[in-house]
Structures are given as C-alpha cells and as structure tokens.
Amino acid sequence: MISDVGCVVIGRNEGDRLRRCLMSLVGQVAAVVYVDSGSTDASVALAHALGVTTVELDMAIPFTAARGRNEGFQALQGRSPSLCYIQFVDGDCEVLPGWLDAAREFLGFQR
C-alpha cells in the first residue's frame, strides 16, 4: 500500500465499472473517497461494502465533475490530512498496476 497517496472517485450509476475502479484502488492507497452524483443503482452501497468513504452530493445543487472532485478532495483532506498526493479518477476507469507508483516517483522528483 502507498501510504501517502489517496484517491477521489466520482461517478453516477457506474455499476460493474465502479466495482472494477474501486477494486483497482482499495488496498493500494491510504484512503479512497467515492463521490456519488445521484445514482439510482447500488453504487453507494457497493462503495460502502468495500469500505470506501462516500459523499452523496446534494441534489438541489447542479452536478458537475468539478464539484464532485472538489467535494471529494475536501472529504479526503478531512479524513487523511497528511496525504502528499491525490489521484482523481472517474468511476468508469481503472487504475492500472504500477501507475500510482510511477506517478508518485515522477512527482517526487519535481519537488
């Protein structure tokens, strides 16, 4: 597990795509937050079952990807304020093995 990396995942009604996304992250990074934009499927329950912190956006305010990422970032900072790096991922994407290590190494050289 990479202890100084967290991840924010955003999505809506992603189904099996969300499962693959979250499974590519859970246990690989220090913390994962899933931000849900009004799903009517079991996306939130799936995230909970995998031990992922969830944020359900207020439906009274229009949804945007930026809003989801920002609210996820705030939740992640509140949960794990010592993280050095945050990866943002859409819920229909997977993070390939080795990507987080490579990105962390590259960014570490940029400090």
Side-chain angles (χ1 to χ4, degrees):
M1 179 182 58
I2 307 170
S3 62
D4 61 350
V5 175
C7 190
V8 173
V9 177
I10 62 169
R12 180 177 185 196
N13 293 329
E14 298 295 349
D16 285 335
R17 294 179 304 261
L18 180 62
R19 176 181 301 281
R20 286 191 300 273
C21 176
L22 295 177
M23 293 302 293
S24 74
L25 296 164
V26 171
Q28 304 302 311
V29 296
V32 179
V33 171
Y34 170 62
V35 182
D36 188 81
S37 297
S39 290
T40 56
D41 67 0
S43 292
V44 173
L46 169 64
H48 281 293
L50 294 174
V52 172
T53 300
T54 60
V55 175
E56 295 180 65
L57 295 178
D58 180 353
M59 296 178 69
I61 302 169
F63 299 139
T64 67
R67 177 177 167 226
R69 289 182 185 106
N70 287 334
E71 291 200 28
F73 177 76
Q74 290 174 356
L76 193 57
Q77 274 194 314
R79 179 173 177 219
S80 303
S82 64
L83 294 174
C84 295
Y85 307 100
I86 299 175
Q87 174 72 56
F88 294 92
V89 180
D90 290 350
D92 61 350
C93 299
E94 295 176 57
V95 176
L96 294 176
W99 166 251
L100 294 168
D101 286 322
R104 183 176 171 272
E105 182 178 339
F106 175 80
L107 292 172
F109 289 122
Q110 304 306 307
R111 287 196 211 179

